[in-house]
Amino acid sequence: MGPDVPLLNDYKQEFFLKRFPQTVLGGPRFKLGYCAPPYIYVNQIILFLTPWVLGGVGTLLYQLDIMKDYYTAALSGGLMFVTALILQMTNVYAKQKTVRVERMQIQNTLTDEDEFEFSSCVGSETVKFIIPGKKYIINTVFHSLLAGVLCGLGTWYLLPNRITLLYSNIGGTVMIFVFGWVTICIGEYSLIINTATETAAFQALDTYEITALMRPFYIFVFIAVDLAHRFAVNTAILEQTNQILHIIFLFLPFLWAMGILPPLDALFLWGMEQLLEFGLGGSPMSSNTKLLVMFLISAGTAIASYFIPSTLGVILFMTGFGFILSLNLSEIAFAFKHTMISHLASSKSKNMHRGLRIQFGWREFIFYLTVLTFALLEASLLHQFAGFSSFSKASPQAIASYILIILLIIMWILREIQRVYLFGVFRNPFYPKDVRTVTVFMEKQRRLMKVGVVRRILLTLVSPFAMIAFLSLDRSLQNLHSVSVCIGFTRIFRMVWQNTENALLDIVVVSIAQMLVFNPDLWWNRSLDTGIRLLLVGILRDRLLQFVSKLQFAIAILLTSWTEKKQRRKSTATLITLNVVFFPILLTFIAISALLSSPLLPLFTLPIFLIGFPRPIRSWPGPVGAAACVCSDTVYYQQMVPSLAVALQSALAAGSLGLSLPGSHYLCRFQDRLMWILVLEKGFTYCGVNIKGLELQETSCHAAEAHRVDEIFEMAFEHQEHTKILSPNHHFGHILTPCTVLPVRLYSDARNVLSGIIDSHENLKHLKDDFIKVLVWMLVQYCYKKSKTLESPGNADKNKKGSFLENQHSGAVERSRPLREEDSFSVDTIEDWTDDSDIFDLEPSGRMKDRKEAGQLATTPKVHLSIPGSVETQSQGVPQEMSPEDKLHRAVVLGLPAVDKGKQQEVLPRVEFSCCYSELLSIPEEWRTAPVPASKVNEMRQRFPEEWYHFILSQLDFFHLKEKPSNLLEDLMKDKALKDLYVHGVLSCCFGLFGLDNTVPAPSHVFRAYTGGIPWSVGLDWLTGKPELFQLALKAFRYTFKLMVDKASLGPVENFKELVNCLEEYENDWYIGLVSDLEWQQAVLQEKPYLFSLGHDPNMGIYTGRVLTLQELLVQVGKLNDEAVRGQWANLSWELLYATNDDEERYSIQAHPVLLRNLTVQAADPPLGYPIYSSELLHLPLF
C-alpha cells in the first residue's frame, strides 16, 4: 500500500462526521445522513435547552431578590429532577407501547442501517430515537436525581452576582454565564437524554452505563471548588483557583471533545496508581483488585503513622511497613495458602498450579526476616544516638550522603557496562564482541556476570541500608504529628525497598542540594522537610524522563514522515511546516502530557499531536494475559516462555536490561519469533512481567519491520569485529535500543529444500525395502511392549488356551451359518479368474489351489461369485440347504452395494507356534485378515529381511519374564509360524500404502503417503479399518522417509546395529509427522529434542523438510521507547473504539521501520491487538 492510502475510507468518514458533532454537543443528533422531519431537530433543541430554562427561572427569581440563592438552587434542581423523571417514564411508555402494538416493519435494504421512520412529533419511534432510555431501572432513578442536583448546583455556580464578585467585570460575567450554561446543558443532555460516544474511550463496552456520568462528574468537581470557596472565608488560594476554574469551565466541552479528560474508570485507576507510586512510595499493580487493595493498605499505613506518639516508634513503624509492603505479598499469600492446603489435603494440592510461581519457602522467609531485623536495628540505633545533630559537611547525615553518592556512581557504571551501547549512543568496549553462539558468549561474558553479581549485592543489600541510615539521621523526624512528615517519610521509607535505584537517585539529588544550599531562610530549607523534598524530586524526575521520551517520540515521527519515502504523504510537508512554526505549542502539549503522565497521541500516527487522556501504566483495562488470538504457532511461545522468564530474571537482577520500571517495554527476537515484554510491577527482589508472542506468519508489513529489527540486532551483536571502539549507534533515534542477548532453551527452525533427495530414483528404489525393515522393527517393538503386561509364561499359555477354545467355538458357530458374510468383493476373486477358467467349474483355478495350500496363514476359504444370469451350482464347501433369499443374494451380489466389512466375522485357523513364548510376540488376529493373494505372500517371503528380523529378536531381553529358558531367543528365531505372521503383517501394510505392484513410488505418492492422504484403494480401506495398525504403518513410513533423508545427507547406514540405534533415536528423541498434527504441538510442549515435518510448495513445485531442534540459543533483547508504545496504543484505542476504523489496510497499521507501528499494534491487548500468545503475570525473583 502506498503512503497516501486514505486515513478513513468513505463510509468511515461519513460515520465520523456524524458522530463527532454528537460528541461535541453531548448527544444531540443533528447530522443524520438522511432526511428527517423538522420536529426531530426542534425536539432535540428544546430538550438541550431545558436545563438552562429551568435554571434561568431560579436565576431570575434570585436576581429579583424574590428567593435566596440556595432556595433558587433547590427550586431549579427540583424542577429538573421532575422533568428528567418524566422524560425517562415517557421512554418506558413508548417501549411498552411498541411491544404491545406489533407493526410490520418493511426494511429497505437500500437505505442506511440507522434510518428510522417517524410518524408524529411525539410518536413512539420519535421518543425512542431522541431518548434511548436506560438499561437498568436503578439508573433511571439515579441519573434523574443526579440531573436535578447538577442543575441546582449549576444554577448556584453561575449566578451572575456571584460571578461579578469574582471578576468585577460585566462582560466577563455575561460570557461565563452564557457559555457556562452551554457546558451544563451538554452535561445534562449526556446524562439524561442521550449519552454521547466519548473520544476518550477506555473500555470497549459500557456495561453499567458509566459513560453518562463522566461529564457531570467533571462539572461537580468545578462546583465543589466553588462551594469550598464559599464556605472557607478569606482563603486567597481558593479564590484564585476558583477564578481560574470558572474560565476553564467554559472549555470543558473542548476538553471532552478532544478526549483529554479521562473516563471515570480510567481516572480512578490512574489516580490510585499515581498516589500509590508518588504519594505512598509503592509500585503500579498488574490488576485493578491488587491496585485497590494495595492503595488502601498503603494509605492506612500513612494515616496510622500520624498517631504514633514517639519518634522512635514512627521510624520503626515506617521502616517495618515500608519493607513488608514492598514484598510480593500476593505470592507470599499464595504460598502460605498452598502450604496450608497441602497440610490439610495433600491430594488437592498436587493439582494446584498457576503459571510461573515464586517458590517461597523457608529460605526466603529467613532472608526477609533477617533483612527486616537488621533494618529495624539500624534505624532505631542511629536515630536514638545520632539523630539530633543538624546537617553540616561533617555531620553523620552528610557522611551517609557521601556514601550514597559513591554508591550511585558505582551502580550506574556497573549497569551501563553490561549493555551493548553506553547511553544507547556509543558501543560499549567491554561488551563481548561477535556473540553468535551460547558457549562463546558465556565464556566472554564471565567477567560481566561477576559485575552483575556485585551490582545485585549493592542494589539489594548495601544501598537500602545506606539510605535508611541517611533517613534515620534526619532532624525532620523530630516533628511529630505533621502531615507532611507522615506522607513524605512513609513514602521514602517504602521506596527504599520498592524502587531502590530511583530512591537512591532522589536522595542523592536532595543531599547535594542540601550541601550546596545552607541558607536557612531559603524556601527550600524553610518550608519543606526532607520527605516532601524527596517527593517533589521524585515527581520532577519522573515527569522529566517522560518529557524527554515524548520529545524523542515526536521528533522521530516528524523526521521519519519525510525521510522514510513510504511514509511521505502529500500533506507531509504542510504538517512538518506547521509543527516547526508552532513548535512552542508542541512543546507545551508534550509538557502537559508529561505532567499528567498521559500518552502523547499522534493522530493516525501522523505528526498531528494531541494530549491523550491519563490512564494506568499498563494501558489496557482487562486482566493480564486473559485473551490472545491462539493458533497452532502459540505452542512455540508456550514452550519457550518458562526458559525466557528464567533468563530475564538474571538479566533484570544484573541490570543488563537497563533501568527497568513498571511500564517498561522490551522486544526479543529469535529467527521468526518476536516476544513483547511489559514490566507491570516491581518491588524488593521481585518483578512482575507479561510476555506476548507475535504472529509467525509474516505479512508484508510485519516482515518489513521484523527485517529492520534484525538489522539493528545484527549491527549490535554480530558485526562487532569490524567496528571501532566507542563507535556510534547507527540506529540512534529508533524506538528500539539493543540491550543484551539471553541464553534461552527453545526450538531453532531449519527449513531445507529436498530436491535431489525425494525425487532421486536411487533413493526411492530403496524406500520400500527400508520400509519393510522399519515396519518389522516397529511391529516387533509393539508386540514386545504389549507382552510386558503378561507376567509369566503360565499366563501366556492360559491365554493361548482360552483364545484357542474361543476360536474353536466361534469357528463352529460360523460353519453352521451360510457364508453370506464372505460374499463381498475382494482381490482374491479377481486373481482367481483366468481366461481359461470355465464359469461352470466346480473347483477353483490353480491360483486358488496355491492360495489354499498357503499353510498356516491361509485365510477363510472364499466362494466363487457367479456371473449374473448363470446357472447356480452347488460346491462341496457350501451347505446343501439354502434359502431363496441367499440364492438371490449369491446370484446378484456383484450388483449390490459393498457389504460393510466391519460387520464381518472372519474365521482364522489357529496358528501353531513351535515356541511356547512366540505368543508374546504374536500379531493381533484382526491384523491377519488382509485380502492379499497367496502369490504376493510368497513374494513377500522372499523379500522379507530374515537376517534383520533375527537381529531385532536378538536385541530383546524379556527381563519382565520371571522364568525363561536360556535358548529363548534362538527358539523364537526358529519359529516359522511367528515369522509368517510378520510376513503377512508387513505385506498387509505394504498393500495398503503401495498397492500390489512393485513399481518405484513417485515423489507425489511418497508425499501423500507421508501425510496420510493416499487415494482410496481396497488395501487402504482395509488398513484404515484397523486404526492401530494404520498408525503404526504411517509412523513406520515417516521413519523410513526420515531415514532416506538422513542417508542421503549423512551417508549410508553401515550395519544393523547402527540402523537400530537410528530407529531408537527416532522413537525417543524425535517426533516425525506433520506441523498440523495435534501430536506435533504436544511434542513441542513436552520438549522433544527434535521434530521433523515434510511439506510441499505447490507454487514452486518443491518439497521441503522442516527440522526443529531444541537447544540453548541466544535471544536478542532490546528496550523500546515506552512513550512511543503508549502513544501508538492511545491512537489505536481512539481509532478503533471511537472512529471504528477497523480497516485491515488502514494507514496507521502499515509498516513503519522506525516506529515499528505494525508490531506495536499487534502487541496491544485483544480485541484491538492480536498477539497469538499472552502469558499471565509472571513473578520473577531477583535475588
Side-chain angles (χ1 to χ4, degrees), residues 69-96:
D69 53 357
Y70 43 86
Y71 290 128
T72 299
L75 175 63
S76 299
L79 291 175
M80 188 65 215
F81 171 67
V82 173
T83 305
L85 209 55
I86 292 173
L87 291 173
Q88 291 300 313
M89 291 301 105
T90 305
N91 172 265
V92 173
Y93 174 75
K95 287 182 178 179
Q96 292 177 351

PDB file of all heavy atoms in Angstrom, residues 69-96:
ATOM      1  N   ASP A  69     -30.288  32.426  47.365  1.00  0.00           N
ATOM      2  CA  ASP A  69     -29.544  31.672  46.345  1.00  0.00           C
ATOM      3  C   ASP A  69     -29.724  30.161  46.508  1.00  0.00           C
ATOM      4  O   ASP A  69     -29.892  29.429  45.535  1.00  0.00           O
ATOM      5  CB  ASP A  69     -28.070  32.058  46.363  1.00  0.00           C
ATOM      6  CG  ASP A  69     -27.454  31.941  47.745  1.00  0.00           C
ATOM      7  OD1 ASP A  69     -28.192  31.620  48.708  1.00  0.00           O
ATOM      8  OD2 ASP A  69     -26.225  32.141  47.882  1.00  0.00           O
ATOM      9  N   TYR A  70     -29.705  29.677  47.773  1.00  0.00           N
ATOM     10  CA  TYR A  70     -29.819  28.228  47.955  1.00  0.00           C
ATOM     11  C   TYR A  70     -31.237  27.738  47.696  1.00  0.00           C
ATOM     12  O   TYR A  70     -31.443  26.621  47.247  1.00  0.00           O
ATOM     13  CB  TYR A  70     -29.330  27.805  49.345  1.00  0.00           C
ATOM     14  CG  TYR A  70     -29.773  28.676  50.480  1.00  0.00           C
ATOM     15  CD1 TYR A  70     -30.994  28.476  51.107  1.00  0.00           C
ATOM     16  CD2 TYR A  70     -28.943  29.702  50.947  1.00  0.00           C
ATOM     17  CE1 TYR A  70     -31.399  29.280  52.164  1.00  0.00           C
ATOM     18  CE2 TYR A  70     -29.344  30.509  51.999  1.00  0.00           C
ATOM     19  CZ  TYR A  70     -30.570  30.302  52.608  1.00  0.00           C
ATOM     20  OH  TYR A  70     -30.973  31.106  53.656  1.00  0.00           O
ATOM     21  N   TYR A  71     -32.248  28.587  47.962  1.00  0.00           N
ATOM     22  CA  TYR A  71     -33.619  28.218  47.601  1.00  0.00           C
ATOM     23  C   TYR A  71     -33.776  28.183  46.075  1.00  0.00           C
ATOM     24  O   TYR A  71     -34.495  27.351  45.521  1.00  0.00           O
ATOM     25  CB  TYR A  71     -34.625  29.190  48.208  1.00  0.00           C
ATOM     26  CG  TYR A  71     -34.757  29.075  49.709  1.00  0.00           C
ATOM     27  CD1 TYR A  71     -34.645  30.179  50.545  1.00  0.00           C
ATOM     28  CD2 TYR A  71     -35.010  27.823  50.281  1.00  0.00           C
ATOM     29  CE1 TYR A  71     -34.762  30.065  51.924  1.00  0.00           C
ATOM     30  CE2 TYR A  71     -35.148  27.713  51.667  1.00  0.00           C
ATOM     31  CZ  TYR A  71     -35.009  28.814  52.478  1.00  0.00           C
ATOM     32  OH  TYR A  71     -35.141  28.685  53.844  1.00  0.00           O
ATOM     33  N   THR A  72     -33.098  29.095  45.438  1.00  0.00           N
ATOM     34  CA  THR A  72     -33.107  29.113  43.966  1.00  0.00           C
ATOM     35  C   THR A  72     -32.533  27.830  43.408  1.00  0.00           C
ATOM     36  O   THR A  72     -33.087  27.230  42.478  1.00  0.00           O
ATOM     37  CB  THR A  72     -32.289  30.320  43.466  1.00  0.00           C
ATOM     38  OG1 THR A  72     -32.888  31.521  43.933  1.00  0.00           O
ATOM     39  CG2 THR A  72     -32.230  30.340  41.964  1.00  0.00           C
ATOM     40  N   ALA A  73     -31.401  27.407  43.982  1.00  0.00           N
ATOM     41  CA  ALA A  73     -30.770  26.171  43.528  1.00  0.00           C
ATOM     42  C   ALA A  73     -31.690  24.986  43.764  1.00  0.00           C
ATOM     43  O   ALA A  73     -31.818  24.094  42.900  1.00  0.00           O
ATOM     44  CB  ALA A  73     -29.440  25.973  44.255  1.00  0.00           C
ATOM     45  N   ALA A  74     -32.352  24.944  44.922  1.00  0.00           N
ATOM     46  CA  ALA A  74     -33.254  23.831  45.227  1.00  0.00           C
ATOM     47  C   ALA A  74     -34.430  23.812  44.260  1.00  0.00           C
ATOM     48  O   ALA A  74     -34.862  22.740  43.798  1.00  0.00           O
ATOM     49  CB  ALA A  74     -33.733  23.920  46.663  1.00  0.00           C
ATOM     50  N   LEU A  75     -34.970  24.980  43.939  1.00  0.00           N
ATOM     51  CA  LEU A  75     -36.097  25.041  43.016  1.00  0.00           C
ATOM     52  C   LEU A  75     -35.705  24.541  41.630  1.00  0.00           C
ATOM     53  O   LEU A  75     -36.401  23.708  41.036  1.00  0.00           O
ATOM     54  CB  LEU A  75     -36.620  26.477  42.931  1.00  0.00           C
ATOM     55  CG  LEU A  75     -37.745  26.717  41.900  1.00  0.00           C
ATOM     56  CD1 LEU A  75     -38.988  25.918  42.266  1.00  0.00           C
ATOM     57  CD2 LEU A  75     -38.055  28.209  41.787  1.00  0.00           C
ATOM     58  N   SER A  76     -34.595  25.035  41.105  1.00  0.00           N
ATOM     59  CA  SER A  76     -34.158  24.612  39.772  1.00  0.00           C
ATOM     60  C   SER A  76     -33.845  23.120  39.757  1.00  0.00           C
ATOM     61  O   SER A  76     -34.199  22.404  38.800  1.00  0.00           O
ATOM     62  CB  SER A  76     -32.925  25.415  39.347  1.00  0.00           C
ATOM     63  OG  SER A  76     -33.206  26.794  39.286  1.00  0.00           O
ATOM     64  N   GLY A  77     -33.198  22.642  40.813  1.00  0.00           N
ATOM     65  CA  GLY A  77     -32.878  21.224  40.881  1.00  0.00           C
ATOM     66  C   GLY A  77     -34.118  20.356  40.943  1.00  0.00           C
ATOM     67  O   GLY A  77     -34.185  19.306  40.291  1.00  0.00           O
ATOM     68  N   GLY A  78     -35.118  20.784  41.737  1.00  0.00           N
ATOM     69  CA  GLY A  78     -36.348  20.008  41.831  1.00  0.00           C
ATOM     70  C   GLY A  78     -37.080  19.951  40.508  1.00  0.00           C
ATOM     71  O   GLY A  78     -37.582  18.889  40.104  1.00  0.00           O
ATOM     72  N   LEU A  79     -37.156  21.088  39.815  1.00  0.00           N
ATOM     73  CA  LEU A  79     -37.822  21.104  38.505  1.00  0.00           C
ATOM     74  C   LEU A  79     -37.093  20.189  37.515  1.00  0.00           C
ATOM     75  O   LEU A  79     -37.734  19.470  36.727  1.00  0.00           O
ATOM     76  CB  LEU A  79     -37.863  22.545  37.962  1.00  0.00           C
ATOM     77  CG  LEU A  79     -38.777  23.521  38.714  1.00  0.00           C
ATOM     78  CD1 LEU A  79     -38.620  24.940  38.154  1.00  0.00           C
ATOM     79  CD2 LEU A  79     -40.235  23.083  38.616  1.00  0.00           C
ATOM     80  N   MET A  80     -35.763  20.205  37.558  1.00  0.00           N
ATOM     81  CA  MET A  80     -35.000  19.364  36.630  1.00  0.00           C
ATOM     82  C   MET A  80     -35.185  17.889  36.961  1.00  0.00           C
ATOM     83  O   MET A  80     -35.275  17.041  36.056  1.00  0.00           O
ATOM     84  CB  MET A  80     -33.510  19.739  36.705  1.00  0.00           C
ATOM     85  CG  MET A  80     -32.666  19.044  35.646  1.00  0.00           C
ATOM     86  SD  MET A  80     -33.113  19.547  33.975  1.00  0.00           S
ATOM     87  CE  MET A  80     -32.856  18.021  33.105  1.00  0.00           C
ATOM     88  N   PHE A  81     -35.244  17.567  38.248  1.00  0.00           N
ATOM     89  CA  PHE A  81     -35.447  16.169  38.637  1.00  0.00           C
ATOM     90  C   PHE A  81     -36.791  15.646  38.129  1.00  0.00           C
ATOM     91  O   PHE A  81     -36.884  14.552  37.561  1.00  0.00           O
ATOM     92  CB  PHE A  81     -35.359  16.033  40.151  1.00  0.00           C
ATOM     93  CG  PHE A  81     -35.774  14.683  40.675  1.00  0.00           C
ATOM     94  CD1 PHE A  81     -35.021  13.546  40.390  1.00  0.00           C
ATOM     95  CD2 PHE A  81     -36.936  14.543  41.429  1.00  0.00           C
ATOM     96  CE1 PHE A  81     -35.423  12.313  40.863  1.00  0.00           C
ATOM     97  CE2 PHE A  81     -37.337  13.307  41.903  1.00  0.00           C
ATOM     98  CZ  PHE A  81     -36.574  12.179  41.617  1.00  0.00           C
ATOM     99  N   VAL A  82     -37.849  16.456  38.309  1.00  0.00           N
ATOM    100  CA  VAL A  82     -39.178  16.040  37.846  1.00  0.00           C
ATOM    101  C   VAL A  82     -39.190  15.909  36.330  1.00  0.00           C
ATOM    102  O   VAL A  82     -39.734  14.939  35.769  1.00  0.00           O
ATOM    103  CB  VAL A  82     -40.248  17.052  38.327  1.00  0.00           C
ATOM    104  CG1 VAL A  82     -41.603  16.728  37.707  1.00  0.00           C
ATOM    105  CG2 VAL A  82     -40.335  17.045  39.840  1.00  0.00           C
ATOM    106  N   THR A  83     -38.574  16.869  35.649  1.00  0.00           N
ATOM    107  CA  THR A  83     -38.537  16.824  34.182  1.00  0.00           C
ATOM    108  C   THR A  83     -37.798  15.586  33.695  1.00  0.00           C
ATOM    109  O   THR A  83     -38.243  14.893  32.756  1.00  0.00           O
ATOM    110  CB  THR A  83     -37.864  18.089  33.634  1.00  0.00           C
ATOM    111  OG1 THR A  83     -38.538  19.242  34.147  1.00  0.00           O
ATOM    112  CG2 THR A  83     -37.878  18.101  32.123  1.00  0.00           C
ATOM    113  N   ALA A  84     -36.642  15.302  34.305  1.00  0.00           N
ATOM    114  CA  ALA A  84     -35.852  14.133  33.885  1.00  0.00           C
ATOM    115  C   ALA A  84     -36.617  12.852  34.125  1.00  0.00           C
ATOM    116  O   ALA A  84     -36.597  11.929  33.281  1.00  0.00           O
ATOM    117  CB  ALA A  84     -34.530  14.110  34.645  1.00  0.00           C
ATOM    118  N   LEU A  85     -37.325  12.795  35.253  1.00  0.00           N
ATOM    119  CA  LEU A  85     -38.086  11.587  35.559  1.00  0.00           C
ATOM    120  C   LEU A  85     -39.240  11.399  34.561  1.00  0.00           C
ATOM    121  O   LEU A  85     -39.496  10.279  34.099  1.00  0.00           O
ATOM    122  CB  LEU A  85     -38.627  11.668  36.984  1.00  0.00           C
ATOM    123  CG  LEU A  85     -38.829  10.334  37.727  1.00  0.00           C
ATOM    124  CD1 LEU A  85     -37.562   9.513  37.749  1.00  0.00           C
ATOM    125  CD2 LEU A  85     -39.316  10.612  39.145  1.00  0.00           C
ATOM    126  N   ILE A  86     -39.879  12.499  34.191  1.00  0.00           N
ATOM    127  CA  ILE A  86     -40.964  12.424  33.203  1.00  0.00           C
ATOM    128  C   ILE A  86     -40.431  11.953  31.848  1.00  0.00           C
ATOM    129  O   ILE A  86     -41.056  11.130  31.170  1.00  0.00           O
ATOM    130  CB  ILE A  86     -41.664  13.800  33.079  1.00  0.00           C
ATOM    131  CG1 ILE A  86     -42.422  14.117  34.366  1.00  0.00           C
ATOM    132  CG2 ILE A  86     -42.604  13.832  31.874  1.00  0.00           C
ATOM    133  CD1 ILE A  86     -42.994  15.530  34.394  1.00  0.00           C
ATOM    134  N   LEU A  87     -39.275  12.449  31.467  1.00  0.00           N
ATOM    135  CA  LEU A  87     -38.681  12.044  30.183  1.00  0.00           C
ATOM    136  C   LEU A  87     -38.351  10.558  30.178  1.00  0.00           C
ATOM    137  O   LEU A  87     -38.590   9.858  29.182  1.00  0.00           O
ATOM    138  CB  LEU A  87     -37.429  12.875  29.909  1.00  0.00           C
ATOM    139  CG  LEU A  87     -37.655  14.365  29.598  1.00  0.00           C
ATOM    140  CD1 LEU A  87     -36.330  15.102  29.505  1.00  0.00           C
ATOM    141  CD2 LEU A  87     -38.445  14.528  28.299  1.00  0.00           C
ATOM    142  N   GLN A  88     -37.811  10.070  31.270  1.00  0.00           N
ATOM    143  CA  GLN A  88     -37.467   8.651  31.329  1.00  0.00           C
ATOM    144  C   GLN A  88     -38.724   7.780  31.331  1.00  0.00           C
ATOM    145  O   GLN A  88     -38.759   6.721  30.703  1.00  0.00           O
ATOM    146  CB  GLN A  88     -36.624   8.370  32.582  1.00  0.00           C
ATOM    147  CG  GLN A  88     -35.231   8.972  32.532  1.00  0.00           C
ATOM    148  CD  GLN A  88     -34.404   8.447  31.366  1.00  0.00           C
ATOM    149  OE1 GLN A  88     -34.359   7.244  31.121  1.00  0.00           O
ATOM    150  NE2 GLN A  88     -33.788   9.362  30.632  1.00  0.00           N
ATOM    151  N   MET A  89     -39.769   8.231  32.032  1.00  0.00           N
ATOM    152  CA  MET A  89     -41.017   7.466  32.038  1.00  0.00           C
ATOM    153  C   MET A  89     -41.664   7.470  30.653  1.00  0.00           C
ATOM    154  O   MET A  89     -42.299   6.495  30.241  1.00  0.00           O
ATOM    155  CB  MET A  89     -41.980   8.060  33.067  1.00  0.00           C
ATOM    156  CG  MET A  89     -41.560   7.863  34.519  1.00  0.00           C
ATOM    157  SD  MET A  89     -41.367   6.113  34.974  1.00  0.00           S
ATOM    158  CE  MET A  89     -39.566   5.984  35.025  1.00  0.00           C
ATOM    159  N   THR A  90     -41.508   8.584  29.934  1.00  0.00           N
ATOM    160  CA  THR A  90     -42.021   8.640  28.564  1.00  0.00           C
ATOM    161  C   THR A  90     -41.350   7.605  27.691  1.00  0.00           C
ATOM    162  O   THR A  90     -42.001   6.944  26.867  1.00  0.00           O
ATOM    163  CB  THR A  90     -41.789  10.057  27.980  1.00  0.00           C
ATOM    164  OG1 THR A  90     -42.367  11.023  28.844  1.00  0.00           O
ATOM    165  CG2 THR A  90     -42.378  10.178  26.588  1.00  0.00           C
ATOM    166  N   ASN A  91     -40.047   7.441  27.863  1.00  0.00           N
ATOM    167  CA  ASN A  91     -39.341   6.427  27.087  1.00  0.00           C
ATOM    168  C   ASN A  91     -39.816   5.019  27.437  1.00  0.00           C
ATOM    169  O   ASN A  91     -40.012   4.170  26.553  1.00  0.00           O
ATOM    170  CB  ASN A  91     -37.826   6.548  27.335  1.00  0.00           C
ATOM    171  CG  ASN A  91     -37.036   5.420  26.724  1.00  0.00           C
ATOM    172  OD1 ASN A  91     -36.722   4.431  27.392  1.00  0.00           O
ATOM    173  ND2 ASN A  91     -36.735   5.550  25.439  1.00  0.00           N
ATOM    174  N   VAL A  92     -40.019   4.761  28.733  1.00  0.00           N
ATOM    175  CA  VAL A  92     -40.512   3.436  29.162  1.00  0.00           C
ATOM    176  C   VAL A  92     -41.891   3.177  28.567  1.00  0.00           C
ATOM    177  O   VAL A  92     -42.178   2.071  28.067  1.00  0.00           O
ATOM    178  CB  VAL A  92     -40.551   3.363  30.707  1.00  0.00           C
ATOM    179  CG1 VAL A  92     -41.214   2.064  31.152  1.00  0.00           C
ATOM    180  CG2 VAL A  92     -39.147   3.479  31.276  1.00  0.00           C
ATOM    181  N   TYR A  93     -42.761   4.193  28.557  1.00  0.00           N
ATOM    182  CA  TYR A  93     -44.103   4.038  27.994  1.00  0.00           C
ATOM    183  C   TYR A  93     -44.039   3.771  26.488  1.00  0.00           C
ATOM    184  O   TYR A  93     -44.781   2.927  25.957  1.00  0.00           O
ATOM    185  CB  TYR A  93     -44.928   5.293  28.284  1.00  0.00           C
ATOM    186  CG  TYR A  93     -46.282   5.290  27.620  1.00  0.00           C
ATOM    187  CD1 TYR A  93     -47.324   4.500  28.112  1.00  0.00           C
ATOM    188  CD2 TYR A  93     -46.523   6.069  26.473  1.00  0.00           C
ATOM    189  CE1 TYR A  93     -48.570   4.486  27.495  1.00  0.00           C
ATOM    190  CE2 TYR A  93     -47.758   6.056  25.849  1.00  0.00           C
ATOM    191  CZ  TYR A  93     -48.775   5.263  26.364  1.00  0.00           C
ATOM    192  OH  TYR A  93     -50.002   5.252  25.742  1.00  0.00           O
ATOM    193  N   ALA A  94     -43.140   4.474  25.807  1.00  0.00           N
ATOM    194  CA  ALA A  94     -43.000   4.276  24.362  1.00  0.00           C
ATOM    195  C   ALA A  94     -42.520   2.868  24.044  1.00  0.00           C
ATOM    196  O   ALA A  94     -42.988   2.239  23.080  1.00  0.00           O
ATOM    197  CB  ALA A  94     -42.033   5.317  23.789  1.00  0.00           C
ATOM    198  N   LYS A  95     -41.622   2.346  24.836  1.00  0.00           N
ATOM    199  CA  LYS A  95     -41.142   0.979  24.622  1.00  0.00           C
ATOM    200  C   LYS A  95     -42.261  -0.033  24.850  1.00  0.00           C
ATOM    201  O   LYS A  95     -42.423  -0.978  24.072  1.00  0.00           O
ATOM    202  CB  LYS A  95     -39.970   0.679  25.552  1.00  0.00           C
ATOM    203  CG  LYS A  95     -38.673   1.372  25.164  1.00  0.00           C
ATOM    204  CD  LYS A  95     -37.546   0.989  26.113  1.00  0.00           C
ATOM    205  CE  LYS A  95     -36.242   1.646  25.705  1.00  0.00           C
ATOM    206  NZ  LYS A  95     -35.130   1.303  26.626  1.00  0.00           N
ATOM    207  N   GLN A  96     -43.030   0.159  25.904  1.00  0.00           N
ATOM    208  CA  GLN A  96     -44.139  -0.768  26.181  1.00  0.00           C
ATOM    209  C   GLN A  96     -45.196  -0.702  25.086  1.00  0.00           C
ATOM    210  O   GLN A  96     -45.754  -1.715  24.687  1.00  0.00           O
ATOM    211  CB  GLN A  96     -44.763  -0.445  27.534  1.00  0.00           C
ATOM    212  CG  GLN A  96     -43.853  -0.747  28.717  1.00  0.00           C
ATOM    213  CD  GLN A  96     -44.458  -0.346  30.047  1.00  0.00           C
ATOM    214  OE1 GLN A  96     -45.511   0.312  30.060  1.00  0.00           O
ATOM    215  NE2 GLN A  96     -43.833  -0.728  31.140  1.00  0.00           N
TER     216      GLN A  96
END
